[in-house]
Amino acid sequence: IGTMTGYGFYAIVRCFFVHIRKEKNEKNEKISGRYTIALQLPLILFCCSLTFIFVSYAMQELGNLSDTCMSIEESDSAIYSVNEQDTSNGSIDESKDLTCPVYKVKKYNQEETKQIADTFFEIAGDTIDQESTIYYDDTIIYRGMNNTSLWIDYLGGTIVYNESSTQDDAIDNPVTDATEDTIKEMLQLYGIVIPDGAVFTNVMDGSYTFTVKEAVADNKMYDGSLTCQPDDQGKMKYIRGYIKCYDYYKDFVVISAKAAYQRVQEYDFRDYTEKDIPVISIEHECIEYRSDTKGYFQPVYTYIIRLDDELFELSIPAVG
């Protein structure tokens, strides 16, 4: 396509110069304008195809999800025992349509990220260096006069905050015995509210983690983890905040567990095994959520599959 398009451009330039100079080609004939236009058909068809693809994507309600298969460790399969909707053993009534809610994550603008940054830098006793602010398509980076830095993703508002230039700067007296309530109160100073149901972990090296998996409360779903390290002055040395809040969008009809299982049977596993007919056994099956290309949080059927003595996680989009 690139070669044909390039030759079409060449034909336009050649036709232009031939007509300007009133030259003729080897056959002593003027270059045909129709022939030059005909050479643009590959470019026209290519542009029409792209236009159709982008218009179709813009008109569809939800973003795209694809079937994904990845290798996992044996120990990782234990995470599916929490917050799951089991679809095996006929637990879902397929005599009627099955519906699941879809959620949408908030997209922040520059003004909203600036308000968040002002709070962080004020607590750190620093000021934003406007000339050092870096703008990307999906992330904005604020830097302070005293090496404070804050990365904010527009989609979901997830953050990476460092009170000093690097996370590796050691704290003289790390706080290793803080309680869950104490850490939550410190995070609230930065405008961060930990949702109910988050699992609190003291890593015992002065850092603390909150993990929440698809917790629903007040028509919102929370998913992700946050890690932070306080100092002995009641401030945070660093925060890695990857907990996203998804607002309820609406319910969608999803494919049946039987239809999803059929897609598993039809899945091409040749990239993951050397055998033509691999031995497949399903260890686990549940409904989980994944982010799509438009920021929606969609349900997927997740399978833990044992493929020739190796575990894989296979996700099948549920919204038909």
Side-chain angles (χ1 to χ4, degrees), residues 24-151:
K24 295 185 178 181
N25 58 15
E26 292 107 353
K27 295 183 179 180
N28 202 32
E29 297 176 351
K30 288 185 177 181
I31 294 179
S32 169
R34 292 182 179 180
Y35 175 73
T36 303
I37 294 175
L39 290 176
Q40 310 313 310
L41 286 177
L43 176 61
I44 294 172
L45 293 175
F46 179 66
C47 291
C48 290
S49 299
L50 282 183
T51 301
F52 175 78
I53 292 172
F54 283 108
V55 170
S56 298
Y57 177 75
M59 292 181 63
Q60 72 182 38
E61 189 171 7
L62 302 178
N64 294 330
L65 282 174
S66 61
D67 296 354
T68 57
C69 185
M70 64 179 184
S71 177
I72 63 174
E73 298 294 334
E74 190 85 27
S75 58
D76 292 340
S77 62
I79 64 176
Y80 296 97
S81 61
V82 182
N83 292 334
E84 67 189 26
Q85 181 177 354
D86 197 348
T87 63
S88 59
N89 301 322
S91 59
I92 289 182
D93 183 6
E94 296 187 7
S95 62
K96 57 183 179 180
D97 290 336
L98 172 66
T99 62
C100 283
V102 169
Y103 299 85
K104 183 173 177 60
V105 69
K106 177 181 178 180
K107 188 172 185 179
Y108 290 76
N109 56 39
Q110 289 185 10
E111 182 178 350
E112 290 172 323
T113 62
K114 178 63 165 52
Q115 294 174 357
I116 296 173
D118 286 338
T119 300
F120 277 77
F121 280 75
E122 181 180 355
I123 296 175
D126 202 350
T127 55
I128 298 175
D129 183 0
Q130 299 292 347
E131 295 182 356
S132 298
T133 302
I134 303 175
Y135 302 91
Y136 293 106
D137 291 338
D138 53 2
T139 305
I140 185 168
I141 305 173
Y142 294 98
R143 301 190 186 279
M145 299 295 185
N146 299 328
N147 291 327
T148 304
S149 66
L150 177 65
W151 299 50

Side-chain angles (χ1 to χ4, degrees), residues 269-284:
F269 289 99
R270 286 180 295 180
D271 291 338
Y272 309 98
T273 180
E274 297 179 354
K275 297 180 180 180
D276 294 334
I277 305 178
V279 179
I280 301 173
S281 63
I282 296 179
E283 304 282 322
H284 190 83

Side-chain angles (χ1 to χ4, degrees), residues 252-302:
F252 282 83
V253 176
V254 298
I255 63 175
S256 66
K258 181 178 180 180
Y261 180 74
Q262 183 175 357
R263 289 176 60 174
V264 173
Q265 293 178 312
E266 297 171 353
Y267 194 84
D268 188 355
F269 289 99
R270 286 180 295 180
D271 291 338
Y272 309 98
T273 180
E274 297 179 354
K275 297 180 180 180
D276 294 334
I277 305 178
V279 179
I280 301 173
S281 63
I282 296 179
E283 304 282 322
H284 190 83
E285 175 188 18
C286 66
I287 290 182
E288 293 189 316
Y289 278 78
R290 296 285 185 274
S291 295
D292 66 18
T293 55
K294 288 189 176 182
Y296 291 95
F297 213 33
Q298 292 192 36
V300 298
Y301 285 93
T302 298

